[in-house]
Amino acid sequence: MMSLKQFWTKKTLVGLGLGQFLSLLITSTGFSSSELSNRGINAPTSQSFLNYALLTVVYGSVMLYKRQALKAKWYYYVVLGLVDVEANYLVVKAYQYTSITSVMLLDCWSIPSVMLLTFIFLKTKYRFRKIAGVIVCVAGLVMVIFSDVHAGDRSGGRDPRKGDLLVIAGATLYAISNVSEEFLVKNANRVELMSFLGLFGAIISAIQISIIERNELKSIHWTAGAAFPFFGFSLAMFLFYSFVPVLLKMSGSTMLNLSLLTSDMWAVIIRIFAYHEKVDWMYFLAFAAVAVGLVIYSGGDKEEDQHQCIAGVGDEDAGRSKYFDEEAVDNINRGAIAGSSKTGDTSKHDCITSGERSETIENKNIGKDVQGKKS
């Protein structure tokens, strides 16, 4: 039986707190996007472009200053950038075709997708407590859906089937992006991840903007009221992307996606206190359910980490050797490797020499014994 002290570890508390900070950042991006939409500005890729540009400038500068060599192959980041850009685009685009309720419900698809991908590719093992926490969290979100239906907030949308497919596709891409980031941040480097995700994300976004949103940008009448939510969105996304790798390395992709479930509930609380709106009582019950599920999922990480550490050190090293760019590593450590190889050759030579010496001594001893017997 796990004690309360073992359950409430420092890692658990930090993970829960960081997860809710990220959830609040996502809530702020939702309000910013809503404000831009109310002003007739519909350019999701353009909003993301500024975030990617900030990531490139900030983390790229750090990487150049430290003169860090790549720890993972560069084309991994090209694929990751493409997946991340399109995931953001598809989910935002879905709001034009289906209801908010449908988007909220179908966006949960990222959670089982993440669990499946981490189980297959990262060999993550989920105990019964983890699975129970996920079930409680999802049950809390389903309560939000029923609350919307109960309040009559469900609107069909102009093409629900198309919108639902866009959400499912976007949620799947989010899962792939999160799992890829978890692998890279654990096996490569956080600064490298943010630098190249920003670089290739910005390039792909710029290409997409020139094709899809060029006319939309030309028609925008830039005022202070339009610029503030636009740049506020980018700043919130920059902070979100900067802290996501920290939570991924600490608690994994599933914990991240579960934490983000509370973003809709934070939005409700903000609407109550800032805009004095009335909401259904089921929202509060749902918020409590998600909070309990998060605690169940993240509790006792210290004990579990010790078991995983003992059992999986060899597997982790083997996995790293498969994915790392060996040539890059060789370039980084060329001098060290050359030195070590020389040392290895010397040691082999010493072993051979010592073996020859021992054989020589034995032969001499045998010769002495034979001479003694003859005499």
Side-chain angles (χ1 to χ4, degrees), residues 45-93:
T45 310
S46 301
Q47 294 172 221
S48 300
F49 171 78
L50 188 55
N51 164 51
Y52 291 125
L54 285 172
L55 290 174
T56 305
V57 171
V58 174
Y59 290 98
S61 300
V62 174
M63 191 171 179
L64 288 174
Y65 177 76
K66 293 183 177 180
R67 297 183 178 181
Q68 295 179 354
L70 282 180
K71 293 184 178 180
K73 296 178 181 179
W74 62 271
Y75 50 79
Y76 288 169
Y77 297 110
V78 177
V79 177
L80 178 59
L82 177 63
V83 169
D84 197 72
V85 169
E86 299 311 321
N88 288 325
Y89 178 80
L90 289 174
V91 172
V92 174
K93 192 73 174 177

Side-chain angles (χ1 to χ4, degrees), residues 113-127 130-131 178-179 182-183 186-187 248 250-255 297 301 304-305 308 312 315:
S113 299
V114 162
M115 296 185 73
L116 179 63
L117 291 171
T118 53
F119 177 77
I120 294 174
F121 295 104
L122 303 184
K123 308 302 180 184
T124 303
K125 296 180 180 179
Y126 294 98
R127 295 185 178 183
K130 301 282 188 184
I131 297 173
N178 291 155
V179 174
E182 180 180 349
F183 170 79
K186 287 181 177 179
N187 295 282
L248 287 176
M250 183 183 301
S251 303
S253 304
T254 305
M255 180 63 179
Y297 180 88
D301 282 334
E304 187 164 320
D305 287 345
Q308 289 178 352
D315 294 337

Side-chain angles (χ1 to χ4, degrees), residues 2-15:
M2 187 182 298
S3 65
L4 189 63
K5 186 177 181 181
Q6 289 176 322
F7 189 86
W8 290 106
T9 61
K10 181 180 179 181
K11 181 180 177 181
T12 300
L13 295 175
V14 173

Side-chain angles (χ1 to χ4, degrees), residues 154-266:
R154 185 180 178 87
S155 56
R158 64 182 184 180
D159 194 348
R161 291 184 180 179
K162 183 177 181 179
D164 292 349
L165 288 174
L166 288 174
V167 177
I168 292 173
T172 304
L173 291 179
Y174 273 137
I176 295 172
S177 175
N178 291 155
V179 174
S180 301
E181 287 184 35
E182 180 180 349
F183 170 79
L184 289 169
V185 79
K186 287 181 177 179
N187 295 282
N189 183 276
R190 174 173 170 261
V191 174
E192 176 182 310
L193 171 62
M194 291 293 97
S195 300
F196 281 89
L197 175 59
L199 176 62
F200 293 115
I203 294 172
I204 294 168
S205 296
I207 296 171
Q208 188 160 307
I209 290 168
S210 65
I211 299 172
I212 300 175
E213 298 180 3
R214 181 175 54 190
N215 295 328
E216 181 68 28
L217 286 177
K218 290 180 180 179
S219 63
I220 296 176
H221 178 62
W222 291 104
T223 62
F228 182 76
F230 188 89
F231 291 104
F233 175 91
S234 300
L235 179 60
M237 286 298 288
F238 171 75
L239 292 173
F240 177 80
Y241 273 67
S242 297
F243 284 99
V244 158
V246 180
L247 185 61
L248 287 176
K249 189 171 185 178
M250 183 183 301
S251 303
S253 304
T254 305
M255 180 63 179
L256 169 64
N257 283 270
L258 291 176
S259 297
L260 297 183
L261 290 180
T262 60
S263 61
D264 298 304
M265 297 159 201
W266 287 120

Side-chain angles (χ1 to χ4, degrees), residues 94-105 153-158 160 163-164 167:
Y95 283 96
Q96 299 178 17
Y97 299 100
T98 190
S99 65
I100 294 176
T101 305
S102 296
V103 174
M104 289 171 59
L105 179 62
D153 191 35
R154 185 180 178 87
S155 56
R158 64 182 184 180
D164 292 349
V167 177

